[in-house]
Amino acid sequence: MTDLNHLERDLLTQVEAAGDEAALETVRVAALGKKGSVSELLKTLGAMTPEERKERGPLINGLRDRVQGAIAAKKESLAEAALEARLAAERIDVTLPVPEAPESRGRIHPISQVIEELTAIFADMGFSVAEGPDIETDYLNFTALNFPEGHPAREMHDTFFLAPDEKGERKVLRTHTSPVQIRTMMAQKPPIRVIIPGRTYRHDSDQTHTPMFHQVEGLVIDKQANIAHMKWILEEFCKAFFEVDQVKMRFRPSFFPFTEPSAEVDIQCSRKGGEIRFGEGNDWLEILGCGMVHPNVLRNCGLDPDEYQGFAWGMGIDRIAMLKYGMPDLRPFFEADVRWLNHYGFRPLDIPSLVGGLTA
């Protein structure tokens, strides 16, 4: 009896000390396995006399039952402890904001977004996108576009000129995307319908001007292209881009070397409450310049102005982005401030379309 009590205390101590299910299983096998200490005692019952079996049997069976019970209780306790630890490790604070999926954490820069919007609008009108180099020749940037010698745009304080090459020719960081118009007219025969988005460079730096900025120009060359076509295209663009049902436009006579006649275009707006709204109000805001392509430009591109005519327009992408999305200063566009980009940027999968909405 003393030996059984000692064995029971020893086994129950081992059960209680088991730190995990693997350790508990080791104790179970040592006690109740095929060659376990309790199992060996049970085997001795067969060799006892009936009187000894009657006396020792209940004691050994009782030991087995108590050890089995202790093991079962300990196993349940270990399972509950493991569950509590798992729940504590995987606890979710429901008061925290839901984290964004990896594919939506980035942001599209407003310039890239507006270029996509422009492309979607003009592609619907049958325009393709043309591109050209940022470093241009003096001829393509000025001479071919009917800029006379001595024009202010050719001065160093207005334009970034590169050092002369071995031939003495000075390349220039293009001051507008108009050289791509020349390249397009030289490379393909009319009819031509293209838009030209891209970077341009000028000596300007203030709240609404930067040394590098973005511009988009449009060009149509055909035998019957006229001002009425141009006015319709620009009106449809403004309605689609600013997402208004109607808009009034005002064409004021102006001068550009590469177009004749030329015009500045104002768009109807309201400035009430310090906020600019288009398609309403009695104010006007200039947004672009346009005109009929000058006959000299057509001749410089090898086109007969008696057979072909066309029109062109240009506007600042940064400027119309500021107007549409309420950005008061141009300089943060180029400062790479992640906070600014998170506020004004666009989700990467929100691709502009006329069907789904430009700013859906």
Side-chain angles (χ1 to χ4, degrees):
M1 182 67 181
T2 302
D3 292 340
L4 290 179
N5 290 338
H6 179 75
L7 177 61
E8 181 176 348
R9 286 195 300 271
D10 186 46
L11 291 176
L12 293 180
T13 300
Q14 293 181 42
V15 169
E16 186 63 29
D20 53 41
E21 291 193 12
L24 184 63
E25 178 64 13
T26 301
V27 175
R28 187 196 71 79
V29 172
L32 303 174
K34 202 173 213 182
K35 295 183 179 181
S37 56
V38 177
S39 300
E40 291 295 331
L41 288 174
L42 289 171
K43 291 177 183 178
T44 63
L45 293 175
M48 294 180 183
T49 63
E51 290 77 12
E52 291 175 329
R53 191 181 303 119
K54 185 175 181 181
E55 179 185 355
R56 300 278 292 176
L59 298 177
I60 296 174
N61 285 320
L63 171 62
R64 179 196 60 189
D65 294 342
R66 288 189 292 275
V67 171
Q68 284 181 336
I71 291 174
K74 183 64 175 180
K75 186 174 183 179
E76 184 177 351
S77 174
L78 289 173
E80 290 179 358
L83 179 60
E84 289 293 333
R86 182 180 174 186
L87 291 175
E90 298 179 359
R91 182 173 296 167
I92 298 175
D93 187 348
V94 296
T95 65
L96 293 175
V98 178
E100 291 186 281
E103 65 272 13
S104 64
R105 286 178 191 161
R107 290 293 180 268
I108 299 297
H109 196 282
I111 295 299
S112 300
Q113 172 76 12
V114 169
I115 290 176
E116 291 293 332
E117 294 179 19
L118 295 169
T119 302
I121 294 170
F122 285 111
D124 189 61
M125 300 183 195
F127 285 77
S128 59
V129 176
E131 296 179 324
D134 289 14
I135 300 176
E136 273 291 3
T137 64
D138 181 276
Y139 177 79
L140 291 176
N141 196 77
F142 294 121
T143 306
L145 288 161
N146 203 38
F147 281 85
E149 292 290 338
H151 191 282
R154 292 176 179 261
E155 297 298 323
M156 292 291 293
H157 65 269
D158 285 324
T159 301
F160 293 102
F161 283 96
L162 278 66
D165 58 18
E166 61 277 3
K167 298 179 182 179
E169 181 181 7
R170 291 190 309 172
K171 296 291 181 65
V172 60
L173 293 180
R174 64 183 184 186
T175 58
H176 43 195
T177 55
S178 302
V180 185
Q181 294 188 33
I182 303 299
R183 290 176 176 272
T184 303
M185 286 187 280
M186 287 180 169
Q188 68 182 71
K189 294 181 62 177
I192 297 171
R193 293 178 182 84
V194 295
I195 61 167
I196 309 155
R199 293 176 295 271
T200 53
Y201 308 83
R202 297 180 192 174
H203 272 302
D204 273 326
S205 184
D206 57 38
Q207 188 174 358
T208 56
H209 297 84
T210 54
M212 187 279 289
F213 59 100
H214 298 80
Q215 190 179 61
V216 61
E217 297 187 13
L219 174 68
V220 173
I221 301 293
D222 209 337
K223 292 184 177 181
Q224 296 180 335
N226 57 60
I227 288 181
H229 298 150
M230 179 181 69
K231 292 179 69 175
W232 179 85
I233 288 174
L234 294 178
E235 182 177 339
E236 290 301 305
F237 161 73
C238 288
K239 289 194 295 185
F241 180 75
F242 293 111
E243 300 182 70
V244 294
D245 294 330
Q246 60 179 2
V247 64
K248 294 181 180 179
M249 304 182 74
R250 184 172 67 181
F251 290 75
R252 292 181 289 104
S254 186
F255 170 77
F256 303 112
F258 36 81
T259 53
E260 181 60 38
S262 305
E264 301 279 3
V265 179
D266 303 331
I267 186 173
Q268 173 198 15
C269 68
S270 169
R271 290 189 173 89
K272 290 183 179 179
E275 182 180 3
I276 297 179
R277 291 181 174 273
F278 296 102
E280 59 183 72
N282 299 314
D283 292 326
W284 297 93
L285 182 68
E286 178 189 330
I287 61 167
L288 61 92
C290 63
M292 299 297 293
V293 178
H294 199 290
N296 289 345
V297 175
L298 294 173
R299 292 189 188 96
N300 291 336
C301 297
L303 298 176
D304 184 357
D306 293 328
E307 182 179 2
Y308 294 107
Q309 60 188 25
F311 52 86
W313 68 89
M315 68 188 84
I317 295 177
D318 319 76
R319 175 172 168 75
I320 61 175
M322 292 173 67
L323 292 175
K324 181 172 182 177
Y325 295 112
M327 303 168 187
D329 196 319
L330 182 62
R331 290 166 291 191
F333 275 67
F334 312 106
E335 291 176 352
D337 189 325
V338 175
R339 297 167 300 177
W340 183 91
L341 187 58
N342 284 335
H343 180 75
Y344 286 109
F346 294 82
R347 297 180 181 273
L349 299 182
D350 291 344
I351 301 173
S353 72
L354 296 183
V355 177
L358 295 180
T359 54

